[in-house]
Amino acid sequence: MKKTLLVLSLAIVILPIAAHSHDHESVHHAKDKNALTVEMELLDPVNGNKPLGHVYVTESNYGLVFTPELKGLTAGLHGFHIHENPSCDPKEKDGELIAGLEAGGHWDPHNTKKHGFPWSDEAHLGDLPALYTDVDGNANNPVLAPRIKTLAEIKGRSLMIHVGSDNHSDHPAPLGGGGARMACGIIK
């Protein structure tokens, strides 16, 4: 009982501090004059895309950091990738209008033709760690792209969030099994 009370007391003290620390970090990225801001939209090829929030992208000594401030996603893990083209428009494929298909495939400048872990040299450079969304539909945990060093490398591409998670493999489903393209933003 004493341990439970101690843990609860610590949680009451630590959680507000952690939340404040994250808010400060987001504000820091917003004010960083070198940060790229990617405006993200929930894709809807029939009724039109809807604003979802934004992702700040900054350089660090360890690679690019993608800091989302998104609301309105489904809870859980989502595939998160840089795609080839600077477009979030739908495109017709096999007689069906597919959301975000104009973005092309995962960014793969080294022509690896393989989906994999963000730290693997044998994978698409656009393969990012999965994006986490909390039970309220908010995504705000930073994601590190360790192989991408400068903002200039990603300008003129798009940032994509997929419906499902990403196992960073082409098995059992291609491209990590992330599924349909759910949200997108153009990296300018």
Side-chain angles (χ1 to χ4, degrees):
M1 180 71 176
K2 288 181 183 179
K3 285 183 181 179
T4 303
L5 287 175
L6 178 62
V7 170
L8 287 173
S9 298
L10 285 172
I12 290 169
V13 171
I14 292 172
L15 286 175
I17 292 169
H20 175 73
S21 171
H22 175 75
D23 290 344
H24 176 72
E25 176 113 359
S26 295
V27 170
H28 169 72
H29 289 299
K31 293 180 180 177
D32 184 342
K33 65 180 181 199
N34 297 318
L36 286 178
T37 302
V38 182
E39 298 297 330
M40 300 295 290
E41 295 181 321
L42 198 57
L43 299 176
D44 186 343
V46 177
N47 300 309
N49 298 345
K50 295 180 179 47
L52 188 61
H54 50 267
V55 175
Y56 295 115
V57 189
T58 55
E59 293 177 359
S60 81
N61 292 335
Y62 308 101
L64 291 187
V65 179
F66 293 77
T67 304
E69 288 187 358
L70 305 171
K71 295 177 185 216
L73 293 166
T74 55
L77 292 174
H78 298 280
F80 192 43
H81 308 104
I82 298 169
H83 281 245
E84 295 261 339
N85 305 321
S87 176
C88 295
D89 292 339
K91 183 177 177 181
E92 192 172 308
K93 180 179 178 182
D94 299 328
E96 184 181 348
L97 195 58
I98 308 295
L101 195 56
E102 283 288 338
H106 295 178
W107 178 45
D108 189 18
H110 304 301
N111 204 27
T112 65
K113 297 184 178 164
K114 183 178 175 190
H115 184 68
F117 290 104
W119 54 86
S120 172
D121 288 333
E122 290 91 36
H124 304 142
L125 201 53
D127 292 339
L128 302 175
L131 183 72
Y132 170 74
T133 303
D134 67 23
V135 294
D136 296 320
N138 302 313
N140 52 31
N141 288 327
V143 170
L144 178 68
R147 295 186 301 142
I148 309 171
K149 304 300 180 192
T150 68
L151 296 171
E153 293 177 79
I154 64 168
K155 286 184 179 177
R157 309 268 173 233
S158 58
L159 192 58
M160 191 72 65
I161 301 171
H162 293 265
V163 170
S165 187
D166 188 340
N167 69 2
H168 302 288
S169 173
D170 283 322
H171 301 286
L175 301 174
R181 298 166 187 217
M182 177 171 63
C184 181
I186 298 170
I187 305 170
K188 298 178 185 176

